[in-house]
Amino acid sequence: MSTENRGKSEIIVQGISASQGIAYGQVFLYIQSDVEVPAYQVEPAKRLDEVVRFDHAILVTRHQIQKIMAEVDKNLGPDEARIFDAHLLVLEDQALIAETIREFESTGFNVETCFNKVSQRYIRAFSEIDDEYLRERAGDIRDVAQRVLQNLLGQASQNLSQLVEKRVVVANDISPSDAAGIDSSQALAIVTDTGSKTSHAVIVARSMKVPAVVGVRGFTKQARAGDWVLVDGYEGFVILNPSEQTLFRYGKIQRQKKGFEERLFEANRQPAVTLDAVSITLRANIEKIEEVALVKDYFADGVGLFRTEYIYLNASRIPSEQEQYLAYKTVAEKLAPAPVVIRTLDLGGDKPMAGAAHLFPKEDNPFLGYRAIRFCLDHPDIFKDQLRAILRASAHGVIHLMYPMISGREELARANAVLDECKAELTDKKIAFDPKLKVGTMIEIPSAAITADLLAKDCDFFSIGTNDLIQYLLAIDRGNNSIAHLYEPTHPAVIRMIKNVVDEAHKQKIKVSVCGEMAGDAVYVPLLIGLGVDELSMTPPLIPAVKYLVRAMTLVDAQKLANEALEMTSPKDIYALCETFYRERVKLE
Ligand code: PEP
Ligand code: MG
């Protein structure tokens, strides 16, 4: 790295790390501003023409979006192109269009003014929703509304096509339309004022494989076009006018990370076996059918958690048994003989289904509410459609089924009874399914963990959902930033609980997997393995780092670590113990 910014003082700001990597370059400043909308009265004789003009603008906008979708599909891939489905839905929203026409008929103002007023109302309503995902959709509406307004006013749309040299894109926000205009070979990194881990900017940066830091409040006001900036997408730092010392330090970090990534990549081709020859099963967590490719790319031993709710979340209605069957069958066939653990629906709570909102009441405590198996047992038709789909797909590969949010033995028995009904129905109709289909229970509610001995009698395996288990055990909302520091996977209560689950499972000869985020963090892996966990399941890109560590440790050492941790009282000390274990075995250089 060379220095080009003599004399200016270094400014370090912290945002949210959104896409990994380090980049250094000059700022390309991109500020989106809202289209200026003139307001005037339309003469009564011209009102029909005004409505026609509006219809035409909607049509033109739809064509533009479809064109962008085709380009994005070609340049970035189908997943990224699908972001624009939400845009087309906004344009098809009859309420938005009808309200604009009503506004026009009652006020007589030009359609730009009416459409702007109505769309702003929608944007405000979405921006105020608690759910992060839905809040981000305000950006979709804004993006489409701006495009419609530009078309009504005959303005060229703003985009990032002026990015013709390698630069760091610094923007207040990056909408999907902006993203479509980025020449990915010219963007060194992306930094945005707004955004969270689910922003479009993040999806785009990851798909372009460039570092990104989002949520760097006010950064577009600090940076000037042409300033030199260093982006640390690992830790979420953005450093304006970095000093020579900083550049030197980052140069070293970058070389280390690169060398380490190459070693990880190499290790990932090898089996996950400890130095004392114990083989550890590493599986993948997936949400979409297309992620099957990642399972193979990262050499995972099949899928340990298929979060099926995403098939529902993206649909405008509950998907039919046949639609689900085809989805599950595709995944099973593509991965056979490796197993695929399909988790039944975990909708509700923080994941209400937009296309079936009437089924989910507004709740004060959604995480303690109407979700997952509770919802399914209350809607046997929906549940049975899914169970039949999974059973039918089990004839085409190795499928295991697992229930989320089981709180105790009665609930498990009820779920199994519904499954038996489905099996009987299929048998009557002579429809094939795997009669030996394994059925597991997620252990993510403390009551289930404490009664693991009872649950183990009625299922074939356990999968510990540490994300929820920790949240419920420590009473820490997993999505609440202000208490995030209290969310401690190394809390003695968590470790003891996992130990109890493993011991009770093993007494009854069933296996235990961990499929929460803890399983994909290499620092915790020796602790989990030392506690006796048999399998780990994680987001595929995390597999190389976990495998690297597995190959650098012995089971005996991991067991010693776990025994020591079980004697300790402080979460911080236990974490430090795990970190030391990790650092002693994994060196960046
Ligand atoms: C968990 O709770 O750890 C888990 C894997 O499930 P989810 O994150 O989907 O709630
Ligand atoms: Mg969970």
Side-chain angles (χ1 to χ4, degrees), residues 321 325 384-395 419-434:
E321 174 185 326
Y325 159 66
K384 284 177 77 175
D385 275 348
Q386 184 175 38
L387 293 177
R388 276 190 304 258
I390 297 173
L391 282 166
R392 286 169 55 198
S394 71
L419 181 66
D420 285 343
E421 266 176 52
C422 294
K423 284 184 183 171
E425 284 166 19
L426 293 180
T427 309
D428 278 354
K429 291 190 185 146
K430 302 203 172 11
I431 297 175
F433 64 91
D434 173 7

Side-chain angles (χ1 to χ4, degrees), residues 154-386:
Q155 294 178 355
S157 60
Q158 305 169 315
N159 61 42
L160 276 157
S161 56
Q162 294 97 324
L163 180 72
V164 288
E165 282 177 291
K166 288 196 184 303
R167 292 281 186 271
V168 172
V169 177
V170 174
N172 48 350
D173 190 12
I174 297 213
S175 69
S177 303
D178 296 328
I182 297 184
D183 176 349
S184 54
S185 65
Q186 305 295 2
L188 295 173
I190 293 176
V191 179
T192 58
D193 286 346
T194 56
S196 64
K197 284 200 188 272
T198 54
S199 307
H200 292 309
V202 176
I203 300 168
V204 170
R206 286 199 186 136
S207 62
M208 296 196 319
K209 299 198 170 49
V210 296
V213 179
V214 299
V216 192
R217 292 210 183 109
F219 192 65
T220 48
K221 299 215 168 61
Q222 287 179 298
R224 301 249 154 78
D227 277 354
W228 289 86
V229 64
L230 190 144
V231 182
D232 172 358
Y234 293 106
E235 305 293 333
F237 287 116
V238 181
I239 307 176
L240 199 56
N241 311 315
S243 67
E244 272 188 46
Q245 265 168 328
T246 303
L247 287 174
F248 179 74
R249 190 161 51 85
Y250 270 97
K252 203 169 151 213
I253 295 177
Q254 199 174 22
R255 279 193 302 282
Q256 283 177 339
K257 295 260 189 202
K258 199 158 170 286
F260 184 57
E261 271 158 22
E262 278 162 14
R263 275 190 285 149
L264 284 189
F265 190 73
E266 218 16 69
N268 205 33
R269 298 181 175 283
Q270 315 293 327
V273 179
T274 60
L275 293 172
D276 47 356
V278 180
S279 173
I280 308 289
T281 304
L282 304 183
R283 300 198 204 282
N285 290 357
I286 64 166
E287 288 162 1
K288 302 182 210 143
I289 302 171
E290 303 87 74
E291 285 169 344
V292 164
L294 290 178
V295 179
K296 291 189 171 170
D297 289 351
Y298 286 95
F299 303 101
D301 302 323
V303 169
L305 169 64
F306 182 1
R307 290 181 161 102
T308 55
E309 50 280 5
Y310 286 86
I311 295 179
Y312 293 69
L313 278 175
N314 293 332
S316 50
R317 54 175 174 76
I318 300 273
S320 68
E321 174 185 326
Q322 180 66 9
E323 284 164 323
Q324 293 186 63
Y325 159 66
L326 291 176
Y328 307 146
K329 172 174 174 275
T330 306
V331 176
E333 276 177 345
K334 290 201 165 150
L335 293 174
V340 177
V341 181
I342 302 185
R343 176 173 81 181
T344 61
L345 202 48
D346 187 4
L347 274 184
D350 61 324
K351 292 181 268 196
M353 185 182 160
H358 60 286
L359 296 176
F360 299 96
K362 172 114 189 65
E363 296 178 288
D364 286 341
N365 277 314
F367 272 120
L368 300 181
Y370 195 55
R371 65 177 276 202
I373 199 71
R374 302 165 183 184
F375 170 84
C376 287
L377 289 173
D378 211 25
H379 290 277
D381 292 349
I382 297 176
F383 192 31
K384 284 177 77 175
D385 275 348
Q386 184 175 38

Side-chain angles (χ1 to χ4, degrees), residues 52 82 94 102 121-122 226 293 296 306 315 320 349 353 422 491:
V52 172
R82 222 161 284 134
Q94 287 311 315
R102 263 202 306 280
R121 205 161 50 224
Y122 271 69
K296 291 189 171 170
F306 182 1
S320 68
M353 185 182 160
C422 294
H491 193 292

